[in-house]
Amino acid sequence: MQLIFLGAPGTGKGTQASNLAERHGIPQISTGDILRKAVQDGTELGKIARSVMESGGLVSDEIIIQLIRERFTQQDCSKGYILDGFPRTIEQAESLDGMLGSRPVSAVIYFDVPEKVIVERLTSRRVCAHCGNVYNVMTNPPPADNFCDKCHGPVIQRDDDREVTVKNRLRVYEEKTAPLKRYYEKQGKLFFIDGSQSVDKVRQDIDKVITATSV
Ligand code: AP5
């Protein structure tokens, strides 16, 4: 199972990728999570990524492609993976095609959600600063003491989830990432999911795509 989860920020990619990864025992490869960890650890990568992420822009293709190339060398990718937040530009998608060669992605699942819902979801999202577990103050609130119920880490709001940054992320998405729909449509790999449904319903629709595309 080699999947790409594609969609604007806040459409539910991470929520579904983490669930699917757990159920199938394959890794969720989230470039956003890798970059946030680097920022938290204060590495060279983190120092470069920090200001870009805070502004809602994209980290350079060169850095991201190298990061994915290295991630693919890890043993846990041998049975499959879910790419969450990568690729995000045509250049990243072309490099990915080159990296995968004769074992291309099996399906690209596109999460379709209206912008108004996205802004509501992102401004009310909270995450565990330690393990990244995702909450939402409206639909899936964190424990009353604001500590994660999985690892007891502090639950916080991501810096880039403030409304002004969210708007910029959506602009960047339209300009740089939305053209990937056409790119994968031409390859016959794009599947649309109505991401504004409940978490359970979205999960069921993803399972249907997986069943339909597995040989
Ligand atoms: P990244 O972490 O990838 O952020 P993103 O794509 O903007 O995606 P999000 O994590 O915001 O949203 P999501 O779709 O995963 O939604 P979630 O499931 O959390 O990237 C962050 C930054 O890193 C980028 O801006 C960029 O700077 C950099 N970066 C990362 N990758 C890069 C790349 N490849 N190239 C260059 N730069 C890169 O859900 C959102 C909320 O909604 C949650 O609160 C959740 O509980 C709730 N929710 C989810 N599903 C539902 C549902 N069905 N119903 C109701 N609520 C729901």
Side-chain angles (χ1 to χ4, degrees):
M1 194 188 294
Q2 304 183 155
L3 298 173
I4 293 175
F5 280 6
L6 179 68
T11 48
K13 305 179 298 295
T15 300
Q16 297 293 338
S18 119
N19 175 280
L20 190 67
E22 209 171 296
R23 287 190 288 137
H24 289 266
I26 55 173
Q28 166 194 10
I29 302 181
S30 158
T31 38
D33 285 349
I34 297 171
L35 293 169
R36 272 184 293 281
K37 171 91 173 53
V39 170
Q40 205 171 36
D41 294 348
T43 64
E44 279 310 306
L45 169 63
K47 284 178 196 154
I48 297 168
R50 181 179 206 125
S51 59
V52 182
M53 293 172 81
E54 277 173 3
S55 71
L58 292 185
V59 175
S60 80
D61 286 335
E62 197 190 347
I63 289 178
I64 296 288
I65 290 163
Q66 182 56 23
L67 200 146
I68 288 290
R69 208 180 285 284
E70 283 167 19
R71 183 64 183 85
F72 275 157
T73 63
Q74 292 177 25
Q75 181 58 31
D76 64 344
C77 295
S78 60
K79 280 198 297 179
Y81 46 79
I82 305 157
L83 290 171
D84 164 16
F86 175 89
R88 248 177 161 96
T89 63
I90 295 286
E91 188 174 337
Q92 291 180 15
E94 288 172 346
S95 294
L96 178 66
D97 284 347
M99 271 181 240
L100 297 176
S102 58
R103 291 190 65 202
V105 288
S106 32
V108 178
I109 298 183
Y110 175 75
F111 289 66
D112 198 13
V113 177
E115 182 167 326
K116 186 173 172 290
V117 178
I118 291 178
V119 175
E120 275 167 16
R121 280 189 189 174
L122 285 181
T123 49
S124 54
R125 173 168 61 184
R126 300 294 181 270
V127 294
C128 170
H130 184 62
C131 73
N133 195 22
V134 177
Y135 299 95
N136 189 292
V137 290
M138 309 299 283
T139 53
N140 176 28
D145 62 2
N146 259 327
F147 284 96
C148 175
D149 47 10
K150 277 195 181 162
C151 76
H152 306 295
V155 174
I156 57 156
Q157 181 174 36
R158 267 171 52 174
D159 284 339
D160 59 351
D161 276 350
R162 298 176 206 280
E163 194 162 345
V164 57
T165 316
V166 165
K167 293 266 160 80
N168 194 37
R169 286 162 67 198
L170 289 170
R171 266 197 303 275
V172 171
Y173 166 80
E174 279 306 325
E175 188 192 332
K176 310 266 190 188
T177 310
L180 289 178
K181 277 188 272 180
R182 184 84 194 103
Y183 181 89
Y184 286 114
E185 202 168 36
K186 278 199 216 153
Q187 294 189 3
K189 292 198 172 139
L190 191 69
F191 294 86
F192 279 77
I193 297 270
D194 176 1
S196 62
Q197 307 173 98
S198 70
V199 171
D200 272 354
K201 189 71 184 52
V202 174
R203 184 173 59 222
Q204 286 166 23
D205 283 0
I206 292 172
D207 285 347
K208 281 184 203 158
V209 172
I210 292 170
T211 306
T213 53
S214 19
V215 205

